[in-house]
Amino acid sequence: MPDAPKFRRVLIKLSGEGLMGDREYGLDGVTLSRIAGEIRSVVDHGVQVCLVIGGGNIFRGVSGASKGMERTSADYMGMLATVINSLAMQNALERVGLQTRVQSAIPMAMICEPYIRRRAIRHMEKGRVVIFAAGTGNPFFTTDTAAALRAVEMNCDVLVKATQVDGVYSADPHKVKDAVRYDRLTFMDVLANELQVMDATAIALCRENDLPILVFNLHEGGAFAKVVAGDGRFTIIEEGN
């Protein structure tokens, strides 16, 4: 890590698509291993880490519903996809020597723990990485909202959102050549301008609880450690003065 960590406890939100690597679907072992190494470098410096992972690389509830599937069933399928990703990430983290626990909002006693807030906090205090699976356990809520909720419940210092670009832009920079990149935004900036960072429910929850959000590029080597130290390229979203 470039400098001493700026944050004591962080939640990192990973998209399911971020685990695909160059694939069009599913999981890429090399990508999982690289992300696990990034997390290991942060944990080694005494930072307590927890994760929420999306399921879009396997199944996305909203897109399933748009194709005629009943929304509640589609969302539950999406939650199960996040459990698959969480177990894959758990395996990758343990291969690099970290102790982990997966806690699911939908009880699955044979494969992981149920979500219990105090137990999760205790795991992190012991240096374990906790992966929160199955979203909030409720349909109609995204994994972005789940990440904001768990970050608040865990008393995290910051929510770190890993994306495909190095911060928040006015439009998708892969599609819009002159998209503007922001170094700093307020929660109201994000909501008023409908910036595609996280859904409005997640942004509102972070705003209500004064939880800053850092957005950085998942694919830049060492970026997670730099962000946790307050360095590197990222966009910070926090309450305005």
Side-chain angles (χ1 to χ4, degrees):
M1 182 175 290
D3 294 302
K6 184 178 179 180
F7 305 105
R8 177 184 59 90
R9 180 179 294 165
V10 304
L11 183 144
I12 180 170
K13 166 60 168 62
L14 301 172
S15 68
E17 291 89 341
L19 306 183
M20 292 192 301
D22 295 328
R23 299 168 180 257
E24 295 183 359
Y25 174 85
L27 294 157
D28 178 65
V30 173
T31 300
L32 282 166
S33 296
R34 183 182 59 77
I35 295 172
E38 298 267 338
I39 294 171
R40 171 69 192 261
S41 69
V42 171
V43 173
D44 283 347
H45 282 78
V47 179
Q48 298 174 16
V49 177
C50 51
L51 290 83
V52 169
I53 308 174
N57 56 319
I58 299 171
F59 186 87
R60 186 180 292 277
V62 173
S63 62
S66 70
K67 296 176 182 176
M69 185 177 291
E70 195 268 323
R71 174 65 187 270
T72 302
S73 296
D75 279 353
Y76 279 123
M77 291 173 67
M79 290 179 218
L80 295 178
T82 72
V83 177
I84 293 172
N85 285 340
S86 296
L87 293 175
M89 181 56 68
Q90 179 182 42
N91 184 264
L93 290 168
E94 291 184 343
R95 286 204 309 270
V96 298
L98 292 175
Q99 292 189 344
T100 69
R101 294 292 187 275
V102 174
Q103 290 198 347
S104 172
I106 301 173
M108 300 183 188
M110 293 293 288
I111 59 174
C112 59
E113 296 180 359
Y115 171 66
I116 300 173
R117 175 180 174 272
R118 288 180 179 270
R119 181 181 290 177
I121 290 174
R122 186 62 178 145
H123 285 322
M124 283 191 288
E125 289 173 345
K126 291 182 176 180
R128 297 167 184 155
V129 175
V130 181
I131 307 169
F132 299 113
T136 67
N138 300 289
F140 301 98
F141 291 94
T142 68
T143 50
D144 279 348
T145 298
L149 177 62
R150 296 291 182 248
V152 171
E153 289 181 305
M154 293 300 107
N155 301 316
C156 289
D157 301 316
V158 68
L159 192 166
V160 179
K161 171 97 184 249
T163 68
Q164 313 298 317
V165 292
D166 59 353
V168 179
Y169 286 78
S170 58
D172 185 344
H174 294 141
K175 299 177 180 178
V176 180
K177 184 173 66 173
D178 58 351
V180 177
R181 182 185 175 279
Y182 304 102
D183 287 323
R184 185 177 298 271
L185 291 164
T186 68
F187 294 115
M188 284 307 300
D189 290 334
V190 174
L191 294 171
N193 294 294
E194 298 183 350
L195 298 174
Q196 302 301 307
V197 184
M198 305 178 83
D199 66 75
T201 305
I203 295 294
L205 189 56
C206 290
R207 182 189 178 205
E208 289 169 10
N209 292 276
D210 198 21
L211 177 69
I213 303 169
L214 299 183
V215 181
F216 79 105
N217 188 346
L218 173 69
H219 304 294
E220 179 190 334
F224 184 33
K226 290 178 183 177
V227 165
V228 172
D231 290 332
R233 281 177 66 81
F234 59 83
T235 298
I236 183 168
I237 305 166
E238 57 188 349
E239 190 60 77
N241 295 328

